[in-house]
Amino acid sequence: MHLQLNFKSGKPAYLQLAEQIKYAAATGVLRPGEALPSIRPLAEDLRINRNTVAKAYAELESEGVIETRQGKGCFVTENNSPLRKAVRQEIVSEAIDYAIVQAHHLQIPPEEFIELVKGRLEHFRTETEKPSTSKAGD
Amino acid sequence: MHLQLNFKSGKPAYLQLAEQIKYAAATGVLRPGEALPSIRPLAEDLRINRNTVAKAYAELESEGVIETRQGKGCFVTENNSPLRKAVRQEIVSEAIDYAIVQAHHLQIPPEEFIELVKGRLEHFRTETEKPSTSKAGD
DNA sequence: CGAACTGTCCTAATGTCATATGACAGTAAT
DNA sequence: ATTACTGTCATATGACATTAGGACAGTTCG
């Protein structure tokens, strides 16, 4: 697993870290039960404070992505598909929430929003597998 | 136009104000060219600082909702073309597409995605109805 | 037991955000 | 020009988030 921080992004280091690990867990790069890098070595490796890593891990634990045991380490949650599914939904929910907030700001009612979503979904369905799409906005 | 602030919401006063005015402008309660309340009287009326109102107005100007002229006042923008329905849908569609791509990346099927959207929509609906919160999340 | 590892808690320095105050600048009417 | 209105800017304060360092607690191995 490759972890990298962007200090110029303005996004807190502990959030970047949590996000990357969460993503790795959701996509299977990190398997359930697998141990995460220990707090201190990882912090040293990333040139950040141990507590920053600890905060990222705490965030992940509160989201149910990992499990930490004092004196032993941190591990990806064992629960096979059910919990990983929840994690995936969590990630997508963040993106959905962003879209919903945008819609609300632009005075687009929920029904119209749903229709928009269906429309876009249909649009993607007809284009099936195209390697387009990495326009990340942040 | 009725403006009211909720100091317990945890949301900044200047954002609440900006949002309400933006909504008024979008729904036609405030018509293009119409003058907004002057900064000082409005601030006094709402029992907040002038600069808090000024910040709300500055935010609205940066979004193109209003236009301010020093010494004269603030006015709703004459041509809010950016609020045209098609344009609004375009903007939101981008955010939706991003979420869809994420879902596809995480192998969440369309039906599940739709359900997620509905769930989040419901979540927001019930949240805005109950402004009493213990912890303000953003 | 002690040493070396694991995570955890407490507290402080720093930066940023929201807000408040005072001084300043443009406009209009007298 | 004066006066009274308009918005604007620089700055200070208080709250909170982020990060950092020291001391503490649980685990494992020798």
Side-chain angles (χ1 to χ4, degrees):
Chain A
M1 178 177 51
H2 184 57
L3 296 173
Q4 188 164 1
L5 299 180
N6 178 4
F7 295 99
K8 287 168 247 162
S9 74
K11 193 169 283 185
Y14 83 96
L15 279 185
Q16 292 185 43
L17 195 49
E19 189 171 322
Q20 288 179 34
I21 294 176
K22 180 159 61 170
Y23 200 90
T27 55
V29 172
L30 278 176
R31 302 292 204 79
E34 190 174 343
L36 277 78
S38 308
I39 287 183
R40 269 162 241 246
L42 178 55
E44 200 168 326
D45 188 42
L46 295 173
R47 310 264 159 63
I48 59 181
N49 192 274
R50 327 160 228 156
N51 265 353
T52 304
V53 176
K55 189 167 187 180
Y57 281 15
E59 175 75 20
L60 289 169
E61 183 171 34
S62 79
E63 294 177 28
V65 180
I66 71 175
E67 215 169 5
T68 92
R69 278 175 313 200
Q70 185 161 344
K72 300 188 121 182
C74 297
F75 307 86
V76 178
T77 316
E78 269 293 355
N79 318 40
N80 310 1
S81 21
L83 239 168
R84 266 183 55 210
K85 179 175 176 181
V87 174
R88 290 197 307 253
Q89 289 191 344
E90 235 173 69
I91 295 174
V92 174
S93 287
E94 284 180 27
I96 292 175
D97 285 358
Y98 178 75
I100 290 177
V101 168
Q102 283 256 348
H104 184 258
H105 276 159
L106 296 172
Q107 314 307 332
I108 293 180
E111 311 80 39
E112 188 180 331
F113 182 78
I114 283 283
E115 286 311 307
L116 262 178
V117 169
K118 287 179 180 169
R120 298 311 299 168
L121 227 31
E122 191 60 31
H123 179 261
F124 275 85
R125 190 171 298 174
T126 55
E127 294 207 356
T128 336
E129 295 182 7
K130 263 193 174 178
S132 58
T133 59
S134 279
K135 55 164 153 190
D138 206 330
Chain B
M1 178 176 50
H2 184 58
L3 296 174
Q4 187 164 3
L5 299 180
N6 178 4
F7 295 98
K8 284 168 261 167
S9 73
K11 193 169 284 188
Y14 84 96
L15 279 183
Q16 292 185 44
L17 195 49
E19 189 169 322
Q20 287 180 36
I21 293 175
K22 182 158 60 172
Y23 193 93
T27 55
V29 174
L30 278 175
R31 268 167 273 138
E34 190 173 343
L36 276 78
S38 307
I39 286 182
R40 268 163 245 247
L42 178 56
E44 199 168 326
D45 188 42
L46 295 173
R47 309 265 159 69
I48 59 180
N49 192 273
R50 324 160 238 173
N51 261 358
T52 304
V53 177
K55 191 168 186 178
Y57 281 16
E59 175 74 20
L60 289 169
E61 184 172 32
S62 78
E63 294 179 26
V65 179
I66 70 175
E67 215 169 6
T68 91
R69 276 173 321 201
Q70 185 161 341
K72 302 188 117 181
C74 298
F75 308 87
V76 178
T77 314
E78 277 293 356
N79 56 341
N80 359 19
S81 42
L83 291 180
R84 265 175 37 229
K85 185 171 179 177
V87 178
R88 290 186 314 212
Q89 290 194 345
E90 216 174 274
I91 294 173
V92 174
S93 287
E94 278 185 31
I96 292 175
D97 285 0
Y98 180 74
I100 290 177
V101 168
Q102 284 253 353
H104 187 259
H105 207 179
L106 295 173
Q107 295 165 359
I108 292 180
E111 310 79 38
E112 188 180 330
F113 182 78
I114 282 284
E115 286 311 308
L116 261 179
V117 169
K118 287 178 181 171
R120 297 312 297 168
L121 230 31
E122 187 65 20
H123 174 75
F124 273 86
R125 194 179 65 77
T126 56
E127 205 177 60
T128 47
E129 277 181 5
K130 262 188 13 177
S132 60
T133 65
S134 50
K135 164 188 169 184
D138 211 274

